[in-house]
């Protein structure tokens, strides 16, 4: 091979590849794999022990080109085969153990991790930031689909509110009455309480996620939470759901203006949120408080990790999943948590570390029996508060064990009886609405044709005109449209023909009963609030 004859075959190949193009002869310098293997064997055979001990070992350089980099997130993330379910479950338990401090008087009566972070954030707060990061990633991914904004909001409603209503009803009609009787009161007297802490107004005042009524019937003065924080709260972790839903609305609006289709625009929005969050924790945004925009410090605190998740989804093809980057990001996040800057830059690096874990961890089948993370989150606080009325918190290990088992049972029942049936209705459209949409479709088409040019639009209507111009769609296209929620046709449940009616009743009966009870309790709360009852 010319001047490279004395080098090993693989080294000669590398030198030739790096040579100028006009001097390289592919027919002369190319070698098959069999030739390379035989050349290596010959070199080993003709090497003496003395030469082998002094020879410099041949190192095969890493291949050049696209293979000389880690995979991008878009290449290695599988929507149905990742560890996000496990991580969310783990973070839900971080919230439980953190809140056990003030609720049960453990960890010195403080949220776990608050001292380690110099008061920046508790361990539960770190977990909540992780929840918001994954929500930003997944919800943005959902919004970038072809479903309408109405379908998107309907799906978000089904994910948050049904299980939340169950938590409210469980608290006010089962846990709180038992706790009331443990204090020596009668069962009937519990429902006779009136005023701002009446049991009848508990669901009404909290059903919009605002949590305007936290105590019930004046109970809680003897609990550790009252002694530590002066609070009487039956579900102190559910207050973050309001900010979660605000983030959902943010993504809906960002998608409505087309900023998710043009990711540079979405990146600018994300950058703006992070800048405002930086200003909040460094300068306090005093200049903006005159308008009342940022009086609520939690708004940007939760927007920041959510925006990081949005960014990761928007630029998934530009973000590498690299082990060294992940370990460095984890170290930076831990360092800012222990010193300063967690709420500014720590959440950014923590988000990348979580995304790396979601891809690299092998726990991809964690949700085989259901997604329990949301149920664990919303049921843990009421159960923990309920147990303190009976003094179980004085036995720390027993208390935590009972909480873990009970919360898992409730989360399991909530998923299979309420959450999963509710999510199966994500593409459901009532008959009256289908009729109304069908009647208004010609008008809608004429307006869209006058206002929208498909060449310069990323709207759903433009997408359908470009990719589905024919009215006679194939069966595969119709099925795909139904799957993404784009079709206005009724969704047929995938059930056996025999016993279909019984199957539907069995599956949706708990959800129907929940709807009836929530409506009845809401009406009752309105009557009590206005003094009718």
């Amino acid at each position: 091979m010319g001047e490279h004859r004395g080098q090993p075959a693989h080294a000669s190949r590398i030198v030739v590849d790096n040579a100028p193009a006009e001097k390289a002869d592919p027919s002369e310098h190319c070698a098959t794999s069999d030739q390379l293997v035989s050349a290596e064997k010959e070199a080993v055979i003709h090497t003496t022990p003395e030469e082998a001990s002094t020879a410099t070992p041949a190192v095969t350089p890493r291949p050049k080109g696209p293979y000389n980099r880690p995979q991008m997130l878009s290449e290695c993330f599988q929507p149905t085969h990742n560890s996000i379910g496990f991580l969310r479950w783990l973070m839900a338990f971080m919230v439980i153990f953190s809140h056990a401090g003030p609720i049960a008087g453990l960890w010195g009566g403080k949220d776990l991790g608050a001292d380690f972070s110099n008061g920046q954030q508790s361990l539960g707060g770190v977990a909540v930031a992780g929840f918001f990061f994954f929500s930003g990633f997944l919800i943005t991914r959902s919004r970038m689909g072809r479903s309408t904004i109405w379908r998107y909001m309907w799906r978000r409603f089904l994910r948050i509110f049904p299980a939340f209503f169950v938590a409210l009803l469980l608290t006010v009609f089962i846990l709180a009455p038992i706790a009331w009787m443990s204090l020596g009161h009668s069962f009937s007297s519990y429902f006779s309480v009136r005023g701002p802490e009446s049991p009848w107004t508990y669901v009404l005042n909290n059903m919009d996620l605002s949590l305007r009524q936290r105590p019930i019937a004046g109970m809680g003065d003897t609990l550790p939470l009252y002694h530590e924080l002066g609070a009487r709260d039956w579900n102190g972790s559910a207050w973050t759901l309001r900010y979660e839903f605000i983030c959902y609305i943010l993504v809906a609006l960002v998608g409505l203006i087309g900023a998710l289709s043009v990711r540079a625009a979405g990146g600018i929005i994300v950058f703006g949120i992070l800048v405002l969050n930086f200003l909040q924790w460094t300068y306090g945004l005093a200049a903006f408080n005159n308008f009342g925009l940022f009086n609520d410090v939690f708004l940007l605190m939760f927007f920041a990790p959510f925006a990081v998740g949005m960014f990761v989804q928007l630029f998934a093809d530009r973000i590498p999943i690299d082990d060294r980057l992940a370990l460095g990001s984890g170290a930076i996040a831990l360092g800012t948590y222990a010193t300063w800057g967690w709420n500014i830059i720590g959440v950014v690096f923590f988000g990348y570390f979580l995304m790396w874990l979601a891809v690299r961890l092998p726990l991809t089948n964690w949700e085989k029996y259901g997604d329990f993370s949301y149920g664990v989150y919303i049921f843990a606080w009421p159960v923990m508060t309920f147990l303190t009325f009976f003094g179980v918190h004085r036995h720390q290990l027993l208390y935590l064990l009972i909480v873990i088992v009970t919360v898992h049972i409730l989360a399991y029942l909530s998923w299979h009886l309420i959450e999963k049936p509710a999510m199966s209705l994500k593409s459901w459209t009532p008959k009256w609405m289908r009729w109304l949409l069908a009647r208004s479709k010609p008008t809608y088409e004429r307006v869209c044709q006058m206002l929208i040019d498909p060449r310069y639009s990323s709207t759903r209507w433009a997408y359908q005109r470009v990719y589905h111009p024919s009215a006679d769609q194939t069966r595969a296209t119709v099925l795909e449209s139904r799957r993404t929620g784009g079709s206005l046709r009724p969704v047929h449940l995938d059930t056996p023909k025999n016993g279909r009616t019984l199957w539907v009743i069995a599956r949706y009966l708990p959800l129907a009963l929940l709807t009836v009870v929530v409506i009845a309790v809401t009406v009752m709360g309105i009557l009590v609030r206005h003094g009718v009852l």
Side-chain angles (χ1 to χ4, degrees):
M1 293 188 181
E3 69 229 35
H4 308 296
R5 185 172 298 151
Q7 299 180 4
H10 61 272
S12 174
R13 177 69 179 275
I14 296 299
V15 173
V16 171
D17 287 345
N18 289 333
E22 61 271 11
K23 296 182 181 180
D25 185 359
S27 62
E28 177 184 356
H29 298 292
C30 288
T32 64
S33 59
D34 293 338
Q35 291 173 335
L36 292 175
V37 171
S38 62
E40 291 176 356
K41 289 182 177 179
E42 183 179 357
V44 172
I45 293 174
H46 293 284
T47 301
T48 64
E50 292 79 7
E51 293 173 338
S53 62
T54 58
T56 302
V59 178
T60 303
R62 294 182 65 184
K64 297 174 60 180
Y67 301 101
N68 195 29
R69 61 163 175 80
Q71 285 188 320
M72 298 294 114
L73 177 61
S74 60
E75 299 171 339
C76 57
F77 179 79
Q78 301 181 35
T80 59
H81 196 72
N82 56 72
S83 299
I84 291 181
F86 166 75
L87 292 173
R88 291 195 298 190
W89 173 86
L90 180 63
M91 290 186 295
F93 266 89
M94 290 171 61
V95 174
I96 288 180
F97 282 99
S98 178
H99 287 162
I103 294 177
L106 307 182
W107 336 126
K110 298 180 180 179
D111 280 290
L112 192 62
D115 291 336
F116 178 78
S117 66
N118 295 321
Q120 293 186 94
Q121 193 60 270
S122 66
L123 191 64
V126 172
V128 171
F131 276 125
F132 274 83
F133 167 77
F134 279 132
S135 291
F137 176 77
L138 297 173
I139 298 306
T140 302
R141 187 182 187 90
S142 172
R143 186 68 181 100
M144 290 172 68
R146 292 299 165 184
S147 60
T148 64
I149 186 173
W150 311 113
R151 182 69 63 187
Y152 163 83
M153 292 303 301
W154 169 245
R155 292 173 178 177
R156 303 283 66 80
F157 173 86
L158 292 175
R159 188 65 189 99
I160 293 293
F161 282 92
F164 177 66
F165 291 154
V166 172
L168 293 179
L169 295 173
L170 174 71
T171 300
V172 74
F173 289 113
I174 297 179
L175 301 182
I178 298 175
W180 174 264
M181 289 187 291
S182 71
L183 299 176
H185 306 294
S186 64
F187 181 79
S188 59
S189 63
Y190 169 78
F191 293 100
S192 301
V193 176
R194 295 293 183 267
E197 297 184 8
S198 172
W200 293 110
T201 59
Y202 182 76
V203 174
L204 176 64
N205 291 333
N206 298 326
M207 64 187 311
D208 61 349
L209 305 178
S210 61
L211 297 188
R212 292 188 299 271
Q213 180 183 339
R214 303 206 178 203
I216 302 176
M219 292 185 289
D221 294 345
T222 60
L223 303 183
L225 182 64
Y226 186 80
H227 294 301
E228 298 293 340
L229 302 178
R232 294 180 291 113
D233 197 338
W234 271 94
N235 202 337
S237 59
W239 65 276
T240 60
L241 298 180
R242 170 174 171 265
Y243 298 95
E244 177 91 1
F245 208 79
I246 292 175
C247 289
Y248 294 168
I249 297 174
L250 172 67
V251 172
L253 297 177
V254 171
L256 186 63
I257 64 176
L260 295 181
S261 300
V262 183
R263 63 181 182 181
I268 292 174
I269 294 175
V270 169
F271 179 74
I273 292 174
L274 295 179
V275 168
L276 290 175
N277 183 62
F278 168 78
L279 294 176
Q280 172 175 270
W281 295 107
T282 53
Y283 299 101
L285 289 179
F288 298 94
N289 284 341
N290 293 331
F291 302 97
L293 295 177
F294 304 105
N295 291 333
D296 188 353
V297 67
F298 298 111
L299 193 63
L300 287 173
M301 187 181 78
F302 292 134
F303 270 16
F306 192 90
V308 174
M310 292 176 60
F311 180 86
V312 169
Q313 174 57 48
L314 289 172
F315 295 90
D317 61 334
R318 302 290 182 87
I319 298 177
I321 298 300
D322 186 276
D323 294 350
R324 292 181 297 175
L325 286 177
L327 295 177
S329 298
I332 293 174
L334 181 62
T336 57
Y337 183 70
T339 56
W340 179 87
W342 163 260
N343 290 306
I344 300 175
I345 59 175
V347 292
V348 178
F349 290 97
F350 181 59
Y352 179 84
F353 182 70
L354 286 178
M355 200 71 250
W356 174 77
L357 289 176
V359 173
R360 298 285 280 119
L361 288 179
L363 303 171
T364 58
N365 201 29
W366 191 262
E367 296 180 337
K368 178 180 179 180
Y369 300 104
D371 181 3
F372 304 145
S373 58
Y374 182 49
V376 169
Y377 185 79
I378 61 175
F379 291 120
W381 188 295
V383 171
M384 296 168 74
T385 301
F386 173 75
L387 293 176
T388 56
F389 278 95
F390 300 91
V392 184
H393 61 285
R394 299 188 182 95
H395 309 282
Q396 180 175 333
L397 294 179
L398 178 63
Y399 174 77
L400 294 175
L401 179 62
I402 294 177
V403 168
I404 292 173
V405 173
T406 305
V407 167
H408 266 93
I409 293 174
L410 292 174
Y412 179 88
L413 294 175
S414 174
W415 171 256
H416 288 283
L417 296 180
I418 300 298
E419 297 173 58
K420 188 177 180 180
M423 291 302 296
S424 69
L425 298 174
K426 60 184 181 181
S427 298
W428 171 69
T429 305
K431 290 184 178 180
W432 64 268
M433 187 175 292
R434 292 199 304 269
W435 178 86
L436 182 63
L437 291 173
R439 289 299 183 93
S440 61
K441 187 174 182 179
T443 303
Y444 171 78
E445 288 289 336
R446 286 194 296 269
V447 172
C448 288
Q449 289 174 2
M450 289 188 297
L451 300 179
I452 300 176
D453 187 337
R455 297 174 299 173
Y456 309 106
S457 175
S458 59
T459 60
R460 176 174 174 266
W461 183 85
Y463 173 83
Q464 291 179 335
R465 296 288 292 182
V466 172
Y467 294 100
H468 304 297
S470 174
D472 299 326
Q473 295 179 334
T474 63
R475 176 174 176 79
T477 302
V478 172
L479 292 176
E480 175 64 15
S481 183
R482 290 178 183 175
R483 185 186 68 80
T484 58
S487 176
L488 300 178
R489 301 182 184 182
V491 176
H492 299 289
L493 299 175
D494 186 14
T495 59
K497 294 181 179 179
N498 296 330
R500 173 184 174 84
T501 303
L502 294 178
W503 184 91
V504 172
I505 293 175
R507 184 175 192 184
Y508 294 101
L509 181 60
L511 193 61
L513 292 176
L514 173 66
T515 304
V516 172
V517 172
V518 169
I519 294 175
V521 172
T522 302
V523 172
M524 190 71 177
I526 294 174
L527 297 177
V528 171
R529 175 188 289 179
H530 291 84
V532 178
L533 294 177

